[in-house]
Amino acid sequence: MRCRSEAANTSAKSSRVSAVSRTHSPISASVVGSSFIFVDSDVDEYVRDLDEFLRLLAPGGMLVTSNLFLGQHLPSGHPWLAAGAQYRRRILDDRRLRTAFLPDGKAISVRIRER
């Protein structure tokens, strides 16, 4: 999984951007509370990692996921087809997120603030 995290400081002159790249290892606690996470990885990892994305994402933060509509480029029966469908369903059904799909195959999910 590749995860990019960005958190803005309240000062207009100061901001912090963290980039994290990992494969099957824990993500640093320093990116918890991220305002932006971009995911570009193997689609079969997305379902497994969604809870981790949500743990890292601050309320009001944005999760952008790529490669969600690869079915037009993959042979029938490819394992990513089922994994992509399962991930799309989870980000649509999760009450913590508001999700929209873009024509280029990305999804934008915003984590709503808990009441």
Side-chain angles (χ1 to χ4, degrees):
M1 168 180 65
R2 286 186 195 95
C3 173
R4 294 213 191 287
S5 163
E6 177 179 342
N9 189 322
T10 55
S11 167
K13 294 181 180 180
S14 169
S15 68
R16 181 180 58 123
V17 176
S18 300
V20 178
S21 179
R22 76 161 178 106
T23 303
H24 308 296
S25 62
I27 293 177
S28 166
S30 67
V31 297
V32 172
S34 297
S35 59
F36 181 81
I37 297 174
F38 176 75
V39 182
D40 183 16
S41 181
D42 293 341
V43 175
D44 58 348
E45 296 178 3
Y46 289 180
V47 172
R48 181 195 67 218
D49 291 334
L50 181 58
D51 290 328
E52 181 76 353
F53 301 151
L54 291 173
R55 183 184 71 79
L56 297 173
L57 194 62
M62 185 180 299
L63 171 66
V64 177
T65 310
S66 67
N67 300 328
L68 289 180
F69 297 97
L70 291 174
Q72 60 193 348
H73 305 291
L74 297 173
S76 178
H78 193 285
W80 284 7
L81 297 176
Q86 184 180 5
Y87 183 83
R88 288 190 304 270
R89 177 58 41 208
R90 283 200 54 203
I91 61 176
L92 283 173
D93 290 346
D94 194 308
R95 292 177 182 228
R96 296 169 290 181
L97 298 172
R98 296 295 178 260
T99 299
F101 294 112
L102 303 178
D104 67 353
K106 291 182 179 66
I108 296 179
S109 300
V110 176
R111 182 169 176 194
I112 61 171
R113 297 191 187 276
E114 290 145 9
R115 298 170 203 251

